[in-house]
Amino acid sequence: MMLKQNLRTMWKFKALYLIALPGIAYFILFKYVPLMGSVIAFQNYNIFHGVTGSSWVGLAHFEKMFSYPEFIRILKNTLLINLYDILFAFTAPIVLALMLNEVRKVVAKRLIQTIVYMPHFLSWVIISGIFIGVLSPSSGLINNFIQSLGYEPIYFLGDDSYIRSIIVGSGIWRDTGWGTIIYLAALAGINPALYEAADVDGANHWQKMWNITLPCLLPTITILFLLQIGNFLDFGFERVYVFLNPLNRVNGEIFDTYIYQVGLLQNQFSYTTAIGIFKSIVGLVLLVGANWLSRRATGNSLY
Amino acid sequence: MPLKESPSRKAFLKINLGILIIFSLIMLLPFLHVLAQSFSSSGAIDRGEVIFWPVELTFANYNYVFQDMSIWRAFGVTVFITIVGTIFNLIATATLAYPLSRQEFIGRKFLLFMVLFTMIFSAPLIPTYLLVQKLGMLNSLSALIIPTAISAFNFFVMRSFFLNIPQELIDSSRIDGCGELRILFQIVLPLSKPALATLGIFYAVFHWNTYFNALMYIENRRLYPLQVKLREMIVDDSLVADPTSDVFTTMLSTSPEGIKMATIIVATIPILMVYPFLQRFFIKGFLLGSMKD
């Protein structure tokens, strides 16, 4: 009965299904077919034999992965860069939004916002160009300053020890201002009556911040934090790749750049797909774990 | 009644503003440095004299950039994929978001979940590449347009916008004999101009900045978009030990450093010109996207 009714409604609105068809086909073809194509991680994929004709090797590529010293190094890089990013790049917009919120002069506030949002629209290629210029040992701004203090110039991008800081730092430079938008909206939504009541009770500005502003921001912070965790390990190819060179690769290479380098340029399709699967599963576990933790601790969760 | 502010509060506000101004300068100064170098002579740059103001003012770097046909070509490719790609994105996104925003669409929960799932578990790189290869799109601009037809995030933004269009309006159009396609294109979309503009800008910036996909899918140098061309110049010229760079420098009386900086400025200017509009639309879209249904 139900089914018949449903079918009748579907027939009546068949045009809606026809309109949706290309979009559905897009998601199946470009998102789900590659997802299923991941089975090549369990094969010795051969271009000429394709997914159906290649030989199955079980977990051999996963075993190979864990036995590679290079894999451990890249895992470490990926985890460290993400950890630094969460520690610094995630907290920076919260602090900046709180500071911006204290600015009472409307014109000054607008101007500062306009300036700090700006780098977000530049591509990573341009960002890397600017950073390479500013950090250049012979002509860059930073080394000019270092030399004027009487020290030797530093070749920042030619040295393993700076690459992670550069990757995280350039991310902060590009996106901190942008990240404040959602916090500023949340701050604007706080009920002023709360502050008035606190004034009557004689609270000072710091007490108001600790007891009203931050608790009101907490749901927003939690949600954005969970989203960030969801993208853990999915750091983004471009923002790392544009800074890598043979001199700093050892500490800078992450899964995404490694998959491109070894997978596409050296045709190791099956092995790097195994790495991709590993990456996705770890990311999913982290997300589910963080979501569970957050629901127990703060009552906020993504789902 | 406004209370009189205490001296410590006043001091705090001043220090706060001071720190914010320093932070803004950190955003701006690298631009000024790049801009100054792009207008400076190779000698001045090499001696490290250029900070925020051009030294030995020259336009040679820009002359070089504007005479390089391959930069113009890359610029053209990028303009093409930005325009065609954005229009394609908007049509593809709207035609999926509209049916899935209607109550009458049975099975929309399942399809919505299907889209959401791709945001959590994205398609892996290598199988996606193999698919694009199999479809014969390698080395063609369609590889930069078709595989990125719909962004799941933008899809949800557009859908939540469509949800706010009153059902009565749709129903009355149906009674008047409008087909669903006509409702979408003549009633829903004209009412959704703010959403279309916002998402259009999201998509346009994405295409303008596209780099990785082009790196993967495009080998033919004639089809390189601007970002790939730019990256090539930045990397080629930044190599300190490049033996050809000396010849290059004396021959053109420009420096690789200066050319690099001029190219960065040329590629940044279009974005900075539309930036005031971008900022407004982006913030709107960002907040719209963060709302729950």
Side-chain angles (χ1 to χ4, degrees):
Chain A
M1 188 60 198
M2 209 30 208
L3 182 72
K4 207 173 162 190
Q5 210 178 350
N6 277 348
L7 282 175
R8 192 172 300 152
T9 324
M10 285 173 87
W11 181 250
K12 189 175 162 205
F13 293 104
K14 54 187 180 297
L16 283 180
Y17 294 85
L18 278 176
I19 294 172
L21 205 59
I24 297 170
Y26 165 77
F27 272 96
I28 291 173
L29 182 59
F30 286 102
K31 303 289 170 182
Y32 283 89
V33 168
L35 217 50
M36 286 181 285
S38 305
V39 297
I40 64 169
F42 307 95
Q43 299 177 327
N44 268 333
Y45 181 77
N46 178 313
I47 285 228
F48 304 104
H49 298 152
V51 177
T52 43
S54 297
S55 56
W56 294 89
V57 295
L59 295 174
H61 291 295
F62 290 88
E63 281 162 22
K64 180 178 161 197
M65 187 168 94
F66 287 111
S67 64
Y68 254 36
E70 215 176 27
F71 174 78
I72 303 299
R73 175 175 66 78
I74 288 154
L75 177 66
K76 186 180 146 209
N77 286 345
T78 313
L79 289 176
L80 274 179
I81 291 173
N82 274 290
L83 198 67
Y84 294 151
D85 202 52
I86 286 204
L87 277 180
F88 301 109
F90 180 76
T91 45
I94 303 173
V95 176
L96 185 63
L98 289 173
M99 290 174 76
L100 273 169
N101 200 43
E102 294 288 337
V103 177
R104 291 284 162 267
K105 294 179 184 113
V106 178
V107 180
K109 193 174 170 181
R110 279 268 165 76
L111 192 67
I112 294 170
Q113 279 177 306
T114 304
I115 293 171
V116 298
Y117 291 166
M118 186 173 55
H120 177 79
F121 296 99
L122 304 178
S123 71
W124 282 111
V125 172
I126 289 188
I127 305 263
S128 80
I130 293 173
F131 267 71
I132 289 169
V134 169
L135 295 174
S136 151
S138 58
S139 60
L141 186 57
I142 306 275
N143 274 310
N144 257 319
F145 183 67
I146 291 175
Q147 275 174 302
S148 73
L149 294 178
Y151 294 99
E152 284 293 298
I154 302 169
Y155 186 15
F156 288 102
L157 278 156
D159 194 326
D160 264 340
S161 44
Y162 299 104
I163 181 66
R164 293 186 195 131
S165 316
I166 292 170
I167 290 168
V168 175
S170 61
I172 293 177
W173 187 77
R174 180 183 189 253
D175 290 325
T176 296
W178 187 246
T180 61
I181 289 176
I182 207 150
Y183 293 114
L184 286 172
L187 285 169
I190 298 176
N191 186 352
L194 291 173
Y195 291 108
E196 283 159 24
D199 278 333
V200 173
D201 290 343
N204 66 28
H205 281 280
W206 291 108
Q207 286 169 328
K208 279 189 273 183
M209 198 177 98
W210 274 114
N211 296 311
I212 300 174
T213 313
L214 278 178
C216 286
L217 276 188
L218 199 61
T220 313
I221 295 175
T222 319
I223 295 293
L224 290 184
F225 184 74
L226 289 175
L227 286 174
Q228 170 105 8
I229 294 281
N231 286 328
F232 204 88
L233 304 197
D234 240 342
F235 196 69
F237 170 88
E238 289 183 16
R239 72 177 277 197
V240 174
Y241 186 77
V242 292
F243 288 110
L244 288 188
N245 61 45
L247 298 173
N248 61 27
R249 174 148 277 135
V250 172
N251 280 343
E253 197 156 49
I254 60 167
F255 282 136
D256 294 304
T257 55
Y258 183 74
I259 290 172
Y260 170 73
Q261 200 77 30
V262 176
L264 273 190
L265 301 184
Q266 296 168 28
N267 288 330
Q268 298 212 38
F269 293 140
S270 288
Y271 168 56
T272 46
T273 303
I275 294 181
I277 290 177
F278 172 78
K279 199 189 85 165
S280 295
I281 289 173
V282 173
L284 193 69
V285 169
L286 282 171
L287 176 67
V288 172
N291 196 60
W292 179 82
L293 211 65
S294 149
R295 197 167 41 203
R296 310 245 0 224
T298 68
N300 298 307
S301 61
L302 274 183
Y303 51 85
Chain B
M1 193 183 74
L3 292 169
K4 205 166 163 42
E5 296 198 320
S6 67
S8 69
R9 173 73 182 157
K10 270 187 192 158
F12 165 78
L13 286 178
K14 282 210 175 96
I15 294 169
N16 184 50
L17 191 63
I19 297 175
L20 285 172
I21 289 171
I22 291 172
F23 193 75
S24 310
L25 284 179
I26 294 175
M27 296 287 150
L28 275 183
L29 294 183
F31 281 110
L32 283 183
H33 181 66
V34 169
L35 192 65
Q37 289 203 335
S38 71
F39 281 111
S40 298
S41 75
S42 58
I45 296 176
D46 286 344
R47 290 190 300 274
E49 288 170 359
V50 187
I51 302 179
F52 300 125
W53 200 251
V55 177
E56 297 170 9
L57 184 74
T58 169
F59 297 98
N61 298 317
Y62 285 94
N63 264 337
Y64 175 86
V65 172
F66 287 123
Q67 276 169 13
D68 186 338
M69 277 323 286
S70 64
I71 294 178
W72 281 107
R73 180 187 295 280
F75 193 85
V77 168
T78 293
V79 169
F80 176 81
I81 56 170
T82 301
I83 293 173
V84 177
T86 304
I87 294 171
F88 183 70
N89 286 142
L90 286 178
I91 293 175
T93 309
T95 51
L96 186 63
Y98 171 69
L100 293 189
S101 71
R102 304 269 50 106
Q103 297 293 319
E104 307 84 85
F105 195 99
I106 292 160
R108 68 182 185 287
K109 287 247 165 72
F110 171 76
L111 290 173
L112 286 173
F113 177 78
M114 203 176 112
V115 176
L116 188 69
F117 185 77
T118 65
M119 281 174 95
I120 300 165
F121 229 78
S122 52
L125 179 73
I126 303 290
T128 308
Y129 174 84
L130 293 175
L131 174 73
V132 171
Q133 186 185 48
K134 197 152 259 175
L135 293 172
M137 292 198 289
L138 286 190
N139 262 326
S140 92
L141 294 185
S142 61
L144 303 182
I145 293 174
I146 295 171
T148 52
I150 304 175
S151 123
F153 177 82
N154 291 353
F155 162 82
F156 282 110
V157 173
M158 184 158 262
R159 181 177 166 272
S160 65
F161 197 90
F162 286 164
L163 282 175
N164 291 328
I165 289 175
Q167 181 69 30
E168 293 80 12
L169 190 69
I170 313 273
D171 287 339
S172 65
S173 322
R174 282 184 186 141
I175 292 167
D176 290 343
C178 257
E180 297 294 336
L181 255 185
R182 202 162 148 198
I183 294 178
L184 174 60
F185 280 95
Q186 291 195 346
I187 292 165
V188 174
L189 286 186
L191 284 173
S192 311
K193 273 181 202 146
L196 287 176
T198 308
L199 293 189
I201 286 173
F202 269 109
Y203 279 128
V205 171
F206 167 80
H207 284 301
W208 185 269
N209 287 340
T210 195
Y211 172 63
F212 183 38
N213 283 345
L215 192 66
M216 264 197 305
Y217 299 138
I218 308 289
E219 266 176 35
N220 182 352
R221 305 181 57 84
R222 296 169 64 85
L223 294 178
Y224 274 178
L226 192 58
Q227 305 295 339
V228 180
K229 174 74 194 161
L230 197 61
R231 173 68 188 164
E232 202 182 62
M233 293 179 72
I234 290 170
V235 174
D236 279 356
D237 297 342
S238 72
L239 289 180
V240 182
D242 183 359
T244 57
S245 68
D246 284 341
V247 186
F248 187 64
T249 309
T250 46
M251 201 170 70
L252 289 152
S253 74
T254 53
S255 62
E257 201 68 23
I259 291 171
K260 208 166 82 184
M261 296 305 149
T263 322
I264 288 172
I265 295 294
V266 169
T268 310
I269 284 189
I271 281 272
L272 289 191
M273 269 177 2
V274 291
Y275 170 62
F277 307 99
L278 289 186
Q279 194 191 354
R280 204 175 33 156
F281 279 118
F282 252 109
I283 291 169
K284 241 194 264 166
F286 200 50
L287 296 178
L288 191 66
S290 66
M291 282 190 315
K292 288 182 179 165
D293 303 338

